[in-house]
Amino acid sequence: MTSPSFVEFDQRAKAGERLSVVFFGASLTWGANATDPQLTSYRALLAQRLEATYPRAHFTFHDAAIGGTNSQLGVFRMDRDVLRHKPDLVFLDFSANDGINEASPETLASYESLIRRIIVEARSPVVQVIFPFGWDVKAADFDKMKRRTAHLALSDAYRTTVGDAISLAVERVKAGAITVEQLWPVDLVHPCDAGYQLFADAAWAAFQDGVQRQVVCAAPQQMVQDETYMNPVRVRLSTLGKLPMGWRKDSPHLTSAYFDMLMSRWLDDEVVASSHIETKSVVEKTHSSQQVARLMITFRGTMVLLFGEGTIKSSKYRVYIDGKLVERVLPNAEEPLCEFDAASLSARANGNTHHVAVIAESLAADCDHTIEIEPVFSDGIEQELRLESLCVAGGDTKVFPFASH
């Protein structure tokens, strides 16, 4: 069995072994705004450097990046999109999407669980990459970057290496080597090729540092954050039994607004609630409205998340936990939101995307809970709700089959 050692990876690569490298993260890992994400993203540039440094090695590079997602969803993607590739090296993103200026205990716990599981279960060394948005470099206020500080502390605790592209970008801008506008010429979220070159420089330096210092990653006996996300369960809704009225099993779409959000890559199937049912005759195909029942699932855990697909036909929906309507209070909002909008991202992107919704956190761990999902369809419009899985973490996690009627 291999160890999470950078030197061991280096030795195996020099010996010409087959090695699996996973790039796990969001749009900055995928390479949004790169002229060709398969060639000029940071992960593509890292792949090129690894192949040039180790010409005898046989690398397989895995893109495990979905834009607009954070480490909480990452927890429930770990088995399918990372561990099944049996990685020998993992570059871990999510610092930016988790929020560099805030450090909520929930997302720090989800991020730490990713590091811990990669090291303990995959026995793989980890390079944590801390990527900036353009405004982070403009402000250059490291004291306000609470998550950067927390992620550096996790690196110390787990003996990982860190590709800190924030500090590298600030350093180069201050030295006059490049400007923020040259790094982010289109928008301040996603850089272009020059920015991804800088990201790759930071990540490569971190990998080389691991080899030179002979770093061996190791999980401390006690977690720094809470253990909430160490026993996650992601259950496909299609496996729970007979679907209620108005719901059917289907496949994800084969087209999307962005390739990193092509959900046929990330979902195995979906359950779909439709406002209308299609009727075919010899003459024509018609759509008539239908009733749709609530989807009700019993689970055990302290947090629950829904993962599925958003389309321009997606509807809003209400969620009830233990019979009580879930309400969310957004910053600067006068009234709480009582509905989730599955089309919020796909409408802006004008195409198919992912849909991710954290429904509840801090639930009681010592009892079972129910979640009810109620589509809210607009009158006279054909709409749908597409969900793949119920994701639960915290305590003795479990998702139960649908109750028989």
Side-chain angles (χ1 to χ4, degrees):
M1 179 181 289
T2 61
S3 69
S5 162
F6 285 89
V7 168
E8 184 171 328
F9 178 91
D10 175 72
Q11 292 171 342
R12 294 175 62 203
K14 287 176 178 176
E17 292 191 25
R18 295 187 178 278
L19 296 167
S20 172
V21 180
V22 174
F23 297 92
F24 191 25
S27 59
L28 298 181
T29 289
W30 155 242
N33 280 356
T35 53
D36 185 343
Q38 300 294 65
L39 295 176
T40 60
S41 63
Y42 111 86
R43 60 182 173 80
L45 296 172
L46 258 291
Q48 293 162 25
R49 291 190 188 188
L50 285 167
E51 289 178 327
T53 303
Y54 304 105
R56 295 182 60 198
H58 300 273
F59 289 111
T60 303
F61 299 105
H62 302 280
D63 165 25
I66 306 179
T69 66
N70 69 3
S71 66
Q72 280 180 295
L73 179 66
V75 166
F76 302 104
R77 295 177 51 220
M78 175 69 82
D79 290 316
R80 184 186 185 279
D81 300 337
V82 178
L83 295 183
R84 77 180 177 96
H85 298 306
K86 298 180 180 179
D88 299 293
L89 177 65
V90 177
F91 290 85
L92 178 63
D93 182 9
F94 296 124
S95 298
N97 279 24
D98 278 354
I100 203 70
N101 292 328
E102 58 89 23
S104 69
E106 200 77 18
T107 49
L108 285 178
S110 58
Y111 181 84
E112 180 180 356
S113 77
L114 302 180
I115 299 174
R116 193 176 188 91
R117 292 190 65 198
I118 292 166
I119 292 171
V120 173
E121 298 180 36
R123 307 289 295 168
S124 168
V126 177
V127 176
Q128 294 171 238
V129 288
I130 303 180
F131 294 147
F133 296 129
W135 53 77
D136 299 321
V137 178
K138 282 188 173 184
D141 192 344
F142 291 100
D143 290 337
K144 286 187 177 180
M145 299 180 191
K146 297 177 183 177
R147 189 170 303 277
R148 175 180 175 274
T149 301
H151 284 190
L152 291 173
L154 286 172
S155 176
D156 289 340
Y158 285 84
R159 305 177 195 171
T160 71
T161 64
V162 178
D164 184 1
I166 300 181
S167 61
L168 182 60
V170 169
E171 175 188 317
R172 290 185 180 177
V173 169
K174 284 186 175 179
I178 200 164
T179 66
V180 171
E181 290 71 28
Q182 288 171 322
L183 294 170
W184 284 271
V186 176
D187 64 64
L188 287 176
V189 175
H190 305 106
C192 290
D193 289 356
Y196 286 120
Q197 180 67 62
L198 186 148
F199 288 10
D201 290 346
W204 183 248
F207 168 74
Q208 289 183 309
D209 176 59
V211 174
Q212 291 166 2
R213 290 195 296 111
Q214 300 184 2
V215 171
V216 180
C217 301
Q221 186 173 2
Q222 298 252 327
M223 292 187 70
V224 177
Q225 303 295 325
D226 192 83
E227 297 181 1
T228 300
Y229 292 90
M230 283 306 298
N231 188 29
V233 172
R234 171 180 170 182
V235 177
R236 291 184 4 247
L237 298 173
S238 65
T239 68
L240 294 178
K242 184 179 179 181
L243 292 167
M245 177 178 59
W247 294 78
R248 71 181 192 279
K249 180 180 176 181
D250 205 346
S251 299
H253 286 93
L254 300 177
T255 58
S256 65
Y258 313 107
F259 182 66
D260 57 322
M261 297 185 192
L262 178 60
M263 298 317 292
S264 58
R265 300 177 62 205
W266 311 112
L267 305 180
D268 293 319
D269 57 29
E270 298 172 337
V271 298
V272 185
S274 300
S275 63
H276 288 67
I277 187 170
E278 183 178 283
T279 304
K280 295 180 180 179
S281 68
V282 177
V283 180
E284 61 180 348
K285 180 169 61 176
T286 60
H287 293 80
S288 56
S289 61
Q290 67 171 346
Q291 290 187 319
V292 177
R294 291 184 184 179
L295 188 68
M296 181 173 176
I297 309 140
T298 302
F299 68 94
R300 189 177 302 149
T302 64
M303 75 82 62
V304 60
L305 174 152
L306 290 172
F307 187 27
E309 182 177 17
T311 73
I312 57 175
K313 294 198 302 182
S314 288
S315 69
K316 295 182 178 180
Y317 61 99
R318 300 187 188 100
V319 180
Y320 302 81
I321 297 289
D322 300 331
K324 183 177 180 180
L325 179 66
V326 174
E327 296 182 337
R328 298 168 295 145
V329 180
L330 300 183
N332 304 318
E334 295 183 2
E335 299 290 333
L337 286 179
C338 301
E339 297 173 342
F340 294 84
D341 186 357
S344 58
L345 178 58
S346 54
R348 297 195 304 272
N350 195 32
N352 302 325
T353 64
H354 60 71
H355 174 62
V356 182
V358 176
I359 304 300
E361 299 169 343
S362 303
L363 298 172
D366 58 355
C367 62
D368 295 344
H369 301 279
T370 59
I371 179 171
E372 296 174 79
I373 303 162
E374 178 184 38
V376 179
F377 296 131
S378 300
D379 291 339
I381 302 175
E382 185 180 349
Q383 291 185 301
E384 62 183 8
L385 177 60
R386 292 178 167 267
L387 300 173
E388 189 229 35
S389 50
L390 186 74
C391 303
V392 180
D396 182 21
T397 51
K398 189 171 183 180
V399 176
F400 297 89
F402 294 138
S404 57
H405 299 283

